[in-house]
Amino acid sequence: MADPVSALRRRLLTTFRDSPTDTHPHFRSVERAFLTGASAALLNPPSTLQSAFAMSAFLEPYAWEGAGMALAMLGALGEDGALGPALAATDEIQGTLMCVGVGIGLARARSDTVPDCVLAFAAGVGLVADGAGFHAGRFETWRLLARGRVPPRHPTDAFDRGLGRSLFFVYHSGPGALAACIDGFGADR
């Protein structure tokens, strides 16, 4: 059986394949920043994450989300301990972005156990729901809609905010394609 870090690397390698954003250069740079953050979180001590990113201020938020995703997935795979110190070493904005990434990571790992360090973070649960919504839109919704199915209603508005944000990426911020996607949800959704 593979160790948890190897299992995580395998999942990360397939994270951004097979989606409508595969050819759009702007969104590919965002995805690279996200994966840079994920790699930095796995390879560096929590207190040095910010210096490990080395990217533009525009792309850095995506790196914080990627770091949160990687550490949450690592925790879901049984390697706990790095997320709490990483969150403790952030400022409020960085921690907020990491919590969104935690939601993406937990959804990616198919885990619904929110780590205690996130529960202690102000608004952590809502941010995790936002991240889970982003994951659903980025990796599942466009496939569902292509088969004529609609994503299920989630009990929190935060999930729908993440879902909407992800569809902006999936449809390359094109208003026509995005509106058509949302119209496909139906009136009850």
Side-chain angles (χ1 to χ4, degrees), residues 5-78:
V5 174
S6 296
L8 176 58
R9 284 188 182 129
R10 205 170 27 262
R11 283 211 180 179
L12 287 175
L13 290 175
T14 60
T15 297
F16 294 106
R17 292 187 191 153
D18 189 31
S19 82
T21 64
D22 284 346
T23 59
H24 196 284
H26 171 71
F27 295 108
R28 294 307 282 172
S29 66
V30 167
E31 291 172 346
R32 277 192 300 277
F34 187 89
L35 291 174
T36 296
S39 295
L42 296 176
L43 300 173
N44 296 283
S47 61
T48 65
L49 278 181
Q50 186 162 13
S51 61
F53 294 158
M55 63 184 63
S56 73
F58 172 76
L59 293 173
E60 187 177 315
Y62 303 104
W64 285 107
E65 288 182 357
M69 180 202 66
L71 295 176
M73 289 178 72
L74 199 57
L77 292 168

Side-chain angles (χ1 to χ4, degrees), residues 61-155:
Y62 303 104
W64 285 107
E65 288 182 357
M69 180 202 66
L71 295 176
M73 289 178 72
L74 199 57
L77 292 168
E79 292 292 315
D80 292 325
L83 181 59
L87 269 175
T90 64
D91 64 27
E92 186 177 349
I93 293 171
Q94 296 160 346
T96 296
L97 293 164
M98 279 190 75
C99 286
V100 171
V102 167
I104 296 168
L106 292 176
R108 194 92 183 117
R110 294 181 174 85
S111 173
D112 58 0
T113 304
V114 180
D116 289 340
C117 60
V118 173
L119 293 173
F121 194 83
V125 174
L127 296 168
V128 168
D130 179 292
F134 187 89
H135 177 272
R138 177 64 176 83
F139 297 104
E140 298 165 5
T141 298
W142 66 271
R143 288 185 184 112
L144 289 173
L145 292 172
R147 291 183 297 212
R149 296 178 58 208
V150 177
R153 180 79 176 124
H154 194 272

